[in-house]
Amino acid sequence: SQTIHQWPATLVQPVGSPLSLECTVEGTSNPNLYWYRQAAGRGLQLLFYSVGIGQISSEVPQNLSASRPQDRQFILSSKKLLLSDSGFYLCAWSRRPMNTEAFFGQGTRLTVV
Amino acid sequence: GEDVEQSLFLSVREGDSSVINCTYTDSSSTYLYWYKQEPGAGLQLLTYIFSNMDMKQDQRLTVLLNKKDKHLSLRIADTQTGDSAIYFCAESIDNQGGKLIFGQGTELSVKP
Protein backbone atom coordinates (compact mmCIF):
# COMPACT_ATOMS: atom_id res chain seq x y z
CA SER A 1 0.00 0.00 0.00
CA GLN A 2 1.01 3.58 -0.53
CA THR A 3 1.90 5.93 2.30
CA ILE A 4 2.94 9.55 2.47
CA HIS A 5 5.13 10.98 5.20
CA GLN A 6 5.75 14.57 6.16
CA TRP A 7 8.12 15.93 8.74
CA PRO A 8 8.43 17.60 11.05
CA ALA A 9 4.87 17.64 12.41
CA THR A 10 5.33 21.02 14.07
CA LEU A 11 7.96 23.70 13.69
CA VAL A 12 8.54 27.09 15.31
CA GLN A 13 11.02 29.24 13.46
CA PRO A 14 12.15 32.86 13.87
CA VAL A 15 11.59 35.42 11.16
CA GLY A 16 14.48 35.45 8.71
CA SER A 17 15.52 31.85 9.33
CA PRO A 18 15.60 29.21 6.56
CA LEU A 19 13.01 26.46 6.12
CA SER A 20 13.07 22.92 4.83
CA LEU A 21 10.00 20.68 4.96
CA GLU A 22 10.21 17.19 3.57
CA CYS A 23 7.65 14.87 2.10
CA THR A 24 8.18 11.31 0.87
CA VAL A 25 5.85 8.80 -0.72
CA GLU A 26 6.24 5.05 -0.44
CA GLY A 27 4.69 2.21 -2.38
CA THR A 28 4.35 3.90 -5.74
CA SER A 29 6.58 5.28 -8.45
CA ASN A 30 6.52 8.40 -10.58
CA PRO A 31 3.73 10.12 -8.64
CA ASN A 32 2.53 13.66 -9.12
CA LEU A 33 3.43 15.61 -5.98
CA TYR A 34 1.85 18.73 -4.51
CA TRP A 35 2.40 21.27 -1.74
CA TYR A 36 -0.62 23.05 -0.26
CA ARG A 37 -0.85 25.67 2.46
CA GLN A 38 -3.79 26.02 4.80
CA ALA A 39 -3.93 29.45 6.39
CA ALA A 40 -5.76 30.25 9.62
CA GLY A 41 -8.98 30.92 7.76
CA ARG A 42 -9.17 27.26 6.72
CA GLY A 43 -8.84 27.61 2.96
CA LEU A 44 -6.26 25.46 1.21
CA GLN A 45 -4.16 26.90 -1.56
CA LEU A 46 -2.02 24.98 -4.03
CA LEU A 47 1.57 26.25 -3.88
CA PHE A 48 3.58 23.90 -6.09
CA TYR A 49 3.18 20.72 -8.05
CA SER A 50 5.61 18.36 -9.74
CA VAL A 51 5.13 15.76 -12.46
CA GLY A 52 8.70 14.42 -12.28
CA ILE A 53 12.21 14.80 -10.88
CA GLY A 54 13.38 18.37 -11.19
CA GLN A 55 10.05 19.53 -12.68
CA ILE A 56 8.35 22.13 -10.50
CA SER A 57 5.41 24.38 -11.29
CA SER A 58 4.55 27.28 -9.04
CA GLU A 59 0.94 28.31 -8.67
CA VAL A 60 1.34 31.52 -6.68
CA PRO A 61 4.19 34.01 -6.28
CA GLN A 62 5.66 33.76 -2.81
CA ASN A 63 8.64 33.52 -0.52
CA LEU A 64 8.85 29.74 -0.87
CA SER A 65 10.39 27.31 -3.34
CA ALA A 66 10.07 23.60 -3.98
CA SER A 67 12.40 20.91 -5.23
CA ARG A 68 12.10 17.28 -6.20
CA PRO A 69 15.55 15.70 -5.98
CA GLN A 70 14.25 12.12 -6.13
CA ASP A 71 11.18 10.49 -7.63
CA ARG A 72 9.27 10.21 -4.35
CA GLN A 73 10.73 13.14 -2.42
CA PHE A 74 9.32 16.65 -2.42
CA ILE A 75 10.89 19.48 -0.42
CA LEU A 76 9.49 22.89 0.45
CA SER A 77 12.07 25.55 1.26
CA SER A 78 12.61 29.16 2.10
CA LYS A 79 15.81 31.14 2.50
CA LYS A 80 14.27 33.68 4.88
CA LEU A 81 10.93 33.11 6.55
CA LEU A 82 8.33 35.83 6.92
CA LEU A 83 5.59 36.03 9.55
CA SER A 84 3.07 35.51 6.76
CA ASP A 85 4.59 32.09 6.00
CA SER A 86 2.95 30.68 9.13
CA GLY A 87 0.37 28.02 8.40
CA PHE A 88 -0.35 24.36 7.98
CA TYR A 89 1.55 22.82 5.07
CA LEU A 90 0.22 19.72 3.41
CA CYS A 91 1.91 17.48 0.91
CA ALA A 92 -0.15 15.32 -1.43
CA TRP A 93 0.41 12.78 -4.18
CA SER A 94 -1.61 11.34 -7.02
CA ARG A 95 -1.05 8.42 -9.37
CA ARG A 96 0.01 8.73 -12.97
CA PRO A 97 -1.46 8.37 -15.50
CA MET A 98 -4.85 7.79 -13.76
CA ASN A 99 -4.63 11.10 -11.92
CA THR A 100 -8.05 10.95 -10.28
CA GLU A 101 -7.49 11.05 -6.53
CA ALA A 102 -5.04 12.93 -4.35
CA PHE A 103 -3.86 11.60 -1.00
CA PHE A 104 -2.62 13.96 1.67
CA GLY A 105 0.00 13.70 4.37
CA GLN A 106 -0.61 14.62 7.99
CA GLY A 107 0.78 18.11 7.54
CA THR A 108 3.38 20.35 9.18
CA ARG A 109 2.26 23.17 11.46
CA LEU A 110 4.70 26.06 10.91
CA THR A 111 4.71 29.04 13.24
CA VAL A 112 7.03 31.91 12.38
CA VAL A 113 7.76 34.12 15.39
CA GLY B 1 -11.41 32.49 -12.01
CA GLU B 2 -12.43 29.30 -10.32
CA ASP B 3 -14.19 29.55 -6.99
CA VAL B 4 -15.76 27.07 -4.59
CA GLU B 5 -18.10 28.16 -1.82
CA GLN B 6 -19.47 26.42 1.24
CA SER B 7 -21.28 27.49 4.35
CA LEU B 8 -18.93 27.57 7.32
CA PHE B 9 -20.90 25.73 10.02
CA LEU B 10 -23.49 22.98 10.40
CA SER B 11 -24.81 21.52 13.63
CA VAL B 12 -26.88 18.33 13.80
CA ARG B 13 -27.99 15.82 16.40
CA GLU B 14 -26.55 12.33 16.54
CA GLY B 15 -28.59 9.96 14.38
CA ASP B 16 -29.89 12.71 12.08
CA SER B 17 -28.78 13.16 8.48
CA SER B 18 -26.30 15.92 7.64
CA VAL B 19 -26.31 17.72 4.32
CA ILE B 20 -23.30 19.83 3.40
CA ASN B 21 -23.65 22.02 0.34
CA CYS B 22 -21.14 23.46 -2.08
CA THR B 23 -21.25 25.60 -5.22
CA TYR B 24 -18.49 25.82 -7.80
CA THR B 25 -17.85 27.95 -10.84
CA ASP B 26 -15.67 25.97 -13.24
CA SER B 27 -18.02 23.91 -15.41
CA SER B 28 -15.05 22.19 -17.05
CA SER B 29 -14.01 20.43 -13.83
CA THR B 30 -13.80 16.71 -14.48
CA TYR B 31 -14.03 15.59 -10.87
CA LEU B 32 -15.51 17.01 -7.70
CA TYR B 33 -14.37 15.86 -4.28
CA TRP B 34 -15.26 15.73 -0.62
CA TYR B 35 -12.46 15.68 1.93
CA LYS B 36 -12.66 15.39 5.72
CA GLN B 37 -10.24 17.06 8.11
CA GLU B 38 -10.14 16.25 11.82
CA PRO B 39 -8.44 18.72 14.20
CA GLY B 40 -4.71 19.03 13.59
CA ALA B 41 -4.71 16.34 10.93
CA GLY B 42 -4.32 16.09 7.18
CA LEU B 43 -7.13 15.66 4.68
CA GLN B 44 -8.87 12.36 4.17
CA LEU B 45 -10.49 11.75 0.79
CA LEU B 46 -14.07 10.68 1.47
CA THR B 47 -15.48 10.35 -2.01
CA TYR B 48 -15.51 11.96 -5.42
CA ILE B 49 -17.85 12.14 -8.35
CA PHE B 50 -17.19 12.29 -12.04
CA SER B 51 -18.77 15.31 -13.67
CA ASN B 52 -21.03 13.24 -15.93
CA MET B 53 -22.70 11.58 -12.95
CA ASP B 54 -25.66 12.86 -10.96
CA MET B 55 -25.31 10.77 -7.84
CA LYS B 56 -22.89 8.50 -6.07
CA GLN B 57 -23.55 6.47 -2.94
CA ASP B 58 -20.93 4.94 -0.70
CA GLN B 59 -22.23 3.42 2.53
CA ARG B 60 -23.50 6.33 4.66
CA LEU B 61 -22.37 8.94 2.14
CA THR B 62 -24.42 10.20 -0.78
CA VAL B 63 -23.09 12.77 -3.22
CA LEU B 64 -25.49 14.69 -5.45
CA LEU B 65 -24.32 16.77 -8.39
CA ASN B 66 -26.47 19.35 -10.16
CA LYS B 67 -24.38 20.43 -13.12
CA LYS B 68 -26.87 23.00 -14.32
CA ASP B 69 -26.72 24.89 -11.03
CA LYS B 70 -23.08 23.91 -10.33
CA HIS B 71 -24.16 22.58 -6.96
CA LEU B 72 -22.65 19.66 -5.09
CA SER B 73 -23.89 18.18 -1.84
CA LEU B 74 -22.73 15.55 0.62
CA ARG B 75 -25.30 13.73 2.70
CA ILE B 76 -24.17 11.75 5.72
CA ALA B 77 -26.82 9.36 6.97
CA ASP B 78 -27.11 8.45 10.67
CA THR B 79 -24.54 11.07 11.67
CA GLN B 80 -22.30 10.05 14.55
CA THR B 81 -20.16 12.11 16.94
CA GLY B 82 -17.11 10.71 15.16
CA ASP B 83 -18.28 12.53 12.03
CA SER B 84 -17.54 15.89 13.69
CA ALA B 85 -14.87 17.50 11.52
CA ILE B 86 -14.37 20.06 8.77
CA TYR B 87 -15.59 18.94 5.35
CA PHE B 88 -14.05 20.41 2.22
CA CYS B 89 -15.53 20.47 -1.21
CA ALA B 90 -12.99 20.71 -4.06
CA GLU B 91 -12.95 20.80 -7.83
CA SER B 92 -10.13 19.60 -10.05
CA ILE B 93 -8.17 21.90 -12.34
CA ASP B 94 -6.75 20.87 -15.71
CA ASN B 95 -8.20 17.36 -15.27
CA GLN B 96 -5.66 16.67 -12.55
CA GLY B 97 -6.92 15.02 -9.38
CA GLY B 98 -4.19 16.66 -7.33
CA LYS B 99 -4.63 20.20 -8.63
CA LEU B 100 -7.60 21.30 -6.60
CA ILE B 101 -9.55 24.41 -5.77
CA PHE B 102 -10.96 24.03 -2.28
CA GLY B 103 -13.89 25.62 -0.57
CA GLN B 104 -13.44 27.16 2.87
CA GLY B 105 -14.72 24.05 4.58
CA THR B 106 -17.88 23.35 6.57
CA GLU B 107 -17.39 22.60 10.25
CA LEU B 108 -19.83 19.84 11.19
CA SER B 109 -20.70 19.62 14.86
CA VAL B 110 -22.62 16.53 15.97
CA LYS B 111 -24.38 16.81 19.31
CA PRO B 112 -25.31 13.71 21.32
Side-chain angles (χ1 to χ4, degrees):
Chain A
S1 65
Q2 299 85 15
T3 55
I4 179 169
H5 302 281
Q6 279 188 249
W7 66 92
T10 59
L11 191 59
V12 179
Q13 290 284 99
V15 169
S17 63
L19 173 73
S20 181
L21 302 182
E22 191 162 342
C23 170
T24 59
V25 180
E26 295 177 359
T28 188
S29 59
N30 199 24
N32 286 340
L33 296 171
Y34 308 85
W35 279 112
Y36 282 83
R37 176 168 58 202
Q38 185 175 30
R42 291 202 218 150
L44 288 101
Q45 184 180 38
L46 177 62
L47 302 177
F48 300 97
Y49 72 95
S50 171
V51 299
I53 295 174
Q55 300 179 63
I56 309 294
S57 296
S58 174
E59 291 294 301
V60 292
Q62 58 203 303
N63 184 42
L64 302 168
S65 61
S67 61
R68 184 170 177 175
Q70 298 180 46
D71 181 46
R72 291 170 290 159
Q73 183 184 30
F74 206 22
I75 296 172
L76 185 69
S77 304
S78 173
K79 292 182 180 177
K80 287 186 178 182
L81 284 168
L82 306 172
L83 286 174
S84 57
D85 292 323
S86 294
F88 192 46
Y89 289 85
L90 291 152
C91 181
W93 74 274
S94 63
R95 286 186 187 87
R96 301 178 68 206
M98 296 301 292
N99 187 8
T100 307
E101 302 158 83
F103 303 95
F104 284 77
Q106 288 300 297
T108 295
R109 172 77 58 195
L110 171 66
T111 304
V112 182
V113 295
Chain B
E2 303 95 350
D3 193 20
V4 177
E5 295 197 357
Q6 304 175 237
S7 53
L8 294 181
F9 300 99
L10 176 65
S11 180
V12 301
R13 292 215 170 271
E14 192 173 19
D16 289 350
S17 291
S18 307
V19 180
I20 302 171
N21 295 299
C22 168
T23 57
Y24 61 97
T25 57
D26 187 357
S27 59
S28 66
S29 293
T30 306
Y31 298 98
L32 295 142
Y33 302 84
W34 285 103
Y35 281 88
K36 176 183 179 182
Q37 185 179 37
E38 296 184 3
L43 273 70
Q44 175 193 355
L45 177 62
L46 288 177
T47 187
Y48 65 95
I49 188 167
F50 190 46
S51 58
N52 69 352
M53 297 170 62
D54 297 323
M55 186 182 86
K56 180 179 180 181
Q57 188 154 3
D58 184 0
Q59 299 182 342
R60 291 192 297 124
L61 305 178
T62 302
V63 178
L64 295 177
L65 175 59
N66 181 326
K67 289 183 289 294
K68 175 175 172 288
D69 295 336
K70 295 180 187 171
H71 183 267
L72 183 74
S73 68
L74 174 69
R75 178 177 180 269
I76 305 173
D78 187 25
T79 313
Q80 302 298 305
T81 54
D83 294 323
S84 294
I86 299 177
Y87 291 80
F88 289 93
C89 169
E91 61 176 345
S92 61
I93 312 169
D94 300 337
N95 292 329
Q96 284 200 43
K99 287 183 72 177
L100 300 165
I101 299 287
F102 282 89
Q104 289 294 304
T106 299
E107 183 174 348
L108 175 64
S109 174
V110 182
K111 302 190 185 313

